[in-house]
Amino acid sequence: MGHIIEVENLQKVFGQVVAVDDISFTVEEGEIFGFLGPNGAGKSTTIKILCTLLKPTRGRARLAGYDVLREPHAVRRSLGIVFQDSSLDDRLTAAQNLYLHGLLYGLSRQVLKKRIQEVLEMVGLAERQGDTVRTFSGGMRRRLEIARGFLHHPRILFLDEPTVGLDPQTRAAIWEHLHKLRKEKGLTIFMTTHYMDEAENCDRIAIIDYGRIQALDTPDNLKRSLGGDILTVVPVEGIDLAPLIRDKYNVKVQHSPEGLRIEVRDGASFIPRLASDLGNQIKSIHLRRPTLDDVFIKLTGRAIREEEASAVERMRLSSHRRPLRR
Amino acid sequence: MPAALRAIYTIWYRDTLRLLRERTRIIGMLGQPLIYFLIVGQGISSAMGFRGAPPGLNISYLQFMYPGILAMSVLFTSISSGISIIWDREFGFLKEVLVAPVPRWATAIGKALGGSTAAMAQAFILLFLAPLAQVSLDFITAVQLVAILFLISLALTFFGIAIASHMETMEGFQMIMNFLIMPLYFLSGAMFPMQSVPAWMAFLMRLDPLTYGVDALRLLVYRNADPQILSFLVRYDLKIDLSVLLLLVLALGAWGTWSFSRQE
């Protein structure tokens, strides 16, 4: 199988700001590929370049064998996209939204009629097809957008933050639909997210920060690269154990809001040693497997700030609601 | 179907679908002209006389205003349809269209045709209500009026698209309504003949592109009138009016599609 997306030395500069800084990667056909990073890391800019909505300052990108600068129309036909914010016409019905999309992509009426039913059933909205989109919940809208993105049978589906602002059940349901699409239709999925648990759905993840790819691998390999377990140690108040532990056991120790974060090869056997050596100075010890969060912290020196994310989400949610109140 | 035609048709179809689904807009379209007729016919006309009118002028103010009311309804409907792309940008549908494999200029043309269709729907209602304004129209005149109104509305929808493409937010909307649409309307000769105003205002009226549209409409409605009266009501030859209108459609069409195509 060939590379369905090839990106070489891509760069995008807005005035003084380098939004995307010399990134290169490839995506295989049928893969779920994720861009993980905080808001403003350059994820959406990259998607916009790949979808031919923005021109790169430098570098090359090819989708399904077509160059984004020289063959934008062929590129557009090969991809479907679900934007971060809803792009449905909420005064029209679900079926009408799909019909307009099909017309724009040049599907014949007979094909279109069949496909509309097919995609609506796929995302479980067949019964609501005659209802106006403004009566839909956030999750239903997102499912409809995924259905629409797939309507013209693209080879790649782009999802920009596909489950932002949705509750956990809805998120799980959307991922079920996406996995099904990939399995049944061999679709390549390219997504961005700042949710760590969502990134676990990907076959491979590129961790992006300040416009650069910091690491690119499978979620398991990324976690394994941390080399073991994560211990969180809460010392008795007023005592800084960090230098002591660092010297004594030759391990990496970081301060975190929860306590001291220690990376060790084998957490289960390290705990008794720590407890017998420093037991009277420690309030609690917590052991867990590494998560993508830890990978991100290790690569960038900070956590993806969830507060930032949720502020943006609140804005996004209220902008979804605005048309309803009008 | 080639991509450009596809886009024009789809965007037009979407606008028309929306128009048909929005009952309040249809009621507004029916109600607005009735209000004009009532207010102009029963209210304003009682206070109006024509300054410097030739002897034997036998038309009422409402009859005089009728072509102006046609132009007014087309003006408002067209410009607000064009400007509605701001809403599409704000609420997202525009992105769906911009990422589709169709040229952008075709999208702008589809939008202009969609806006003109809405304006035409309202014009049809007004044409049917002509007897209410004591204006009698034969079929041929009605068809000619529709043709002129279509040119006016096409030009103005493109104008709205151009403005919307340059506007970042909705905030500027009210200002445009106040400082652009109202002067355009008041100086168009829709409410008073150019022949009876001071020279400076006549000069401004000559600069207003809508003047030529209103002039053509009034000419078509009153072409059988006495030549002396006609020369009071109408300023230009139909050929001049038509050439200005066609030029306007081309110029604003080019500006509108260009502005729409270059936005990010």
Side-chain angles (χ1 to χ4, degrees):
Chain A
M1 268 189 276
H3 305 314
I4 194 150
I5 304 178
E6 296 166 77
V7 174
E8 270 171 56
N9 306 105
L10 202 66
Q11 192 192 41
K12 179 70 189 177
V13 182
F14 295 108
Q16 302 282 326
V17 185
V18 183
V20 174
D21 192 3
D22 194 30
I23 62 174
S24 303
F25 62 90
T26 57
V27 178
E28 309 302 316
E29 181 139 31
E31 193 173 27
I32 299 184
F33 186 90
F35 254 26
L36 176 68
N39 293 307
K43 294 173 300 188
S44 293
T45 307
T46 309
I47 280 208
K48 278 187 183 148
I49 293 173
L50 295 180
C51 298
T52 74
L53 283 176
L54 270 180
K55 288 197 168 77
T57 310
R58 211 174 305 143
R60 251 162 45 96
R62 291 169 74 80
L63 269 85
Y66 303 111
D67 189 284
V68 293
L69 278 177
R70 272 175 292 156
E71 300 149 292
H73 282 267
V75 169
R76 287 169 178 213
R77 259 193 301 277
S78 324
L79 64 88
I81 180 163
V82 176
F83 291 100
Q84 211 165 13
D85 302 298
S86 166
S87 63
L88 296 164
D89 186 333
D90 66 356
R91 304 289 177 113
L92 300 182
T93 67
Q96 283 171 334
N97 267 286
L98 295 175
Y99 185 74
L100 289 176
H101 181 89
L103 283 182
L104 274 178
Y105 283 77
L107 300 180
S108 76
R109 256 161 255 257
Q110 295 97 305
V111 174
L112 190 47
K113 237 175 163 180
K114 230 173 46 211
R115 292 245 186 116
I116 288 177
Q117 293 314 314
E118 180 191 310
V119 294
L120 280 171
E121 264 154 41
M122 194 176 69
V123 297
L125 285 174
E127 266 118 70
R128 299 294 303 269
Q129 58 180 298
D131 293 349
T132 314
V133 172
R134 46 193 328 207
T135 64
F136 282 20
S137 68
M140 289 162 71
R141 282 169 195 235
R142 206 54 63 93
R143 267 146 60 202
L144 180 59
E145 284 192 276
I146 290 170
R148 186 179 66 177
F150 182 68
L151 190 69
H152 57 286
H153 286 181
R155 295 178 64 190
I156 310 161
L157 187 62
F158 283 91
L159 302 163
D160 198 1
E161 306 268 357
T163 63
V164 151
L166 301 179
D167 59 74
Q169 290 100 307
T170 313
R171 282 165 74 174
I174 283 179
W175 271 106
E176 214 174 285
H177 294 307
L178 289 174
H179 281 300
K180 203 165 78 188
L181 258 180
R182 191 261 290 262
K183 208 173 125 203
E184 287 171 11
K185 315 283 180 182
L187 191 68
T188 307
I189 294 177
F190 183 109
M191 60 169 297
T192 70
T193 184
H194 62 257
Y195 290 131
M196 297 295 172
D197 52 340
E198 189 159 84
E200 302 272 358
N201 286 297
C202 298
D203 298 322
R204 283 191 307 146
I205 302 169
I207 293 185
I208 182 165
D209 196 26
Y210 295 115
R212 285 174 168 276
I213 292 180
Q214 310 289 346
L216 198 170
D217 213 328
T218 64
D220 281 343
N221 281 349
L222 284 172
K223 284 183 276 190
R224 217 169 290 142
S225 72
L226 286 179
D229 298 323
I230 307 287
L231 289 182
T232 309
V233 175
V234 181
V236 174
E237 260 147 83
I239 302 175
D240 187 12
L241 285 177
L244 192 66
I245 294 174
R246 205 175 284 138
D247 294 344
K248 200 171 166 89
Y249 307 105
N250 193 26
V251 289
K252 212 173 158 209
V253 185
Q254 278 178 309
H255 289 277
S256 77
E258 291 82 38
L260 298 175
R261 230 176 124 271
I262 307 170
E263 286 171 25
V264 290
R265 189 161 301 278
D266 183 5
S269 64
F270 187 76
I271 291 177
R273 275 172 71 198
L274 196 65
S276 70
D277 291 349
L278 302 166
N280 54 344
Q281 298 176 66
I282 293 174
K283 228 163 51 181
S284 71
I285 303 174
H286 175 76
L287 165 77
R288 60 184 171 81
R289 316 291 307 171
T291 64
L292 286 171
D293 247 315
D294 300 307
V295 179
F296 192 85
I297 291 170
K298 187 188 171 199
L299 287 169
T300 66
R302 60 202 169 85
I304 287 190
R305 298 268 314 247
E306 287 295 336
E307 314 91 83
E308 263 176 49
S310 57
V312 172
E313 271 164 40
R314 268 199 300 279
M315 271 169 53
R316 191 161 294 137
L317 279 177
S318 68
S319 78
H320 273 310
R321 256 183 257 124
R322 211 180 328 153
L324 296 179
R325 259 194 258 123
R326 254 199 318 201
Chain B
M1 222 190 324
L5 273 181
R6 228 161 58 208
I8 294 174
Y9 172 70
T10 310
I11 303 301
W12 170 83
Y13 180 64
R14 181 237 177 185
D15 264 26
T16 311
L17 260 184
R18 273 179 76 116
L19 177 68
L20 292 176
R21 287 183 67 86
E22 283 174 47
R23 279 192 206 100
T24 46
R25 249 178 97 190
I26 295 173
I27 291 168
M29 275 189 169
L30 282 164
Q32 204 186 13
L34 287 174
I35 292 173
Y36 295 154
F37 285 150
L38 220 69
I39 293 177
V40 174
Q42 306 301 317
I44 301 180
S45 62
S46 69
M48 286 287 178
F50 293 107
R51 185 165 55 188
L57 181 69
N58 56 350
I59 53 174
S60 71
Y61 184 67
L62 179 60
Q63 286 170 319
F64 170 81
M65 257 299 270
Y66 179 73
I69 293 175
L70 285 177
M72 168 160 73
S73 68
V74 165
L75 170 75
F76 286 125
T77 312
S78 308
I79 293 204
S80 47
S81 299
I83 287 186
S84 73
I85 62 168
I86 293 185
W87 269 283
D88 289 341
R89 201 162 56 199
E90 203 111 315
F91 297 113
F93 183 76
L94 196 61
K95 268 188 294 190
E96 147 82 356
V97 178
L98 293 182
V99 81
V102 294
R104 288 202 183 172
W105 57 265
T107 305
I109 291 177
K111 190 79 204 172
L113 289 175
S116 305
T117 304
M120 286 305 103
Q122 190 162 19
F124 277 124
I125 295 170
L126 280 165
L127 289 173
F128 274 109
L129 295 179
L132 271 186
Q134 285 113 45
V135 173
S136 62
L137 301 171
D138 55 50
F139 179 71
I140 307 231
T141 312
V143 170
Q144 287 168 326
L145 286 174
V146 168
I148 299 284
L149 287 167
F150 182 71
L151 288 181
I152 298 176
S153 97
L154 205 55
L156 292 172
T157 319
F158 273 125
F159 188 47
I161 292 171
I163 294 171
S165 304
H166 291 285
M167 260 165 56
E168 296 282 308
T169 59
M170 285 310 302
E171 265 87 77
F173 184 72
Q174 203 55 44
M175 212 178 73
I176 283 169
M177 286 308 269
N178 287 336
F179 291 99
L180 211 84
I181 297 184
M182 295 317 269
L184 268 182
Y185 178 65
F186 287 131
L187 290 173
S188 69
M191 303 183 78
F192 42 79
M194 200 195 273
Q195 275 72 351
S196 54
V197 298
W200 64 270
M201 195 186 271
F203 172 73
L204 287 180
M205 286 173 79
R206 238 168 265 142
L207 292 183
D208 182 349
L210 197 58
T211 298
Y212 302 88
V214 172
D215 201 59
L217 294 173
R218 196 165 283 142
L219 177 70
L220 288 173
V221 173
Y222 293 112
R223 64 174 143 206
N224 295 325
D226 182 71
Q228 214 188 346
I229 291 172
L230 192 65
S231 73
F232 174 73
L233 296 174
V234 172
R235 186 76 179 76
Y236 299 104
D237 208 46
L238 189 59
K239 269 190 221 121
I240 296 180
D241 289 333
L242 262 180
S243 328
V244 172
L245 277 181
L246 280 172
L247 266 177
L248 212 62
V249 170
L250 291 178
L252 291 173
W255 187 39
T257 43
W258 179 78
S259 306
F260 182 79
S261 303
R262 59 173 277 284
Q263 60 175 342
E264 289 247 302

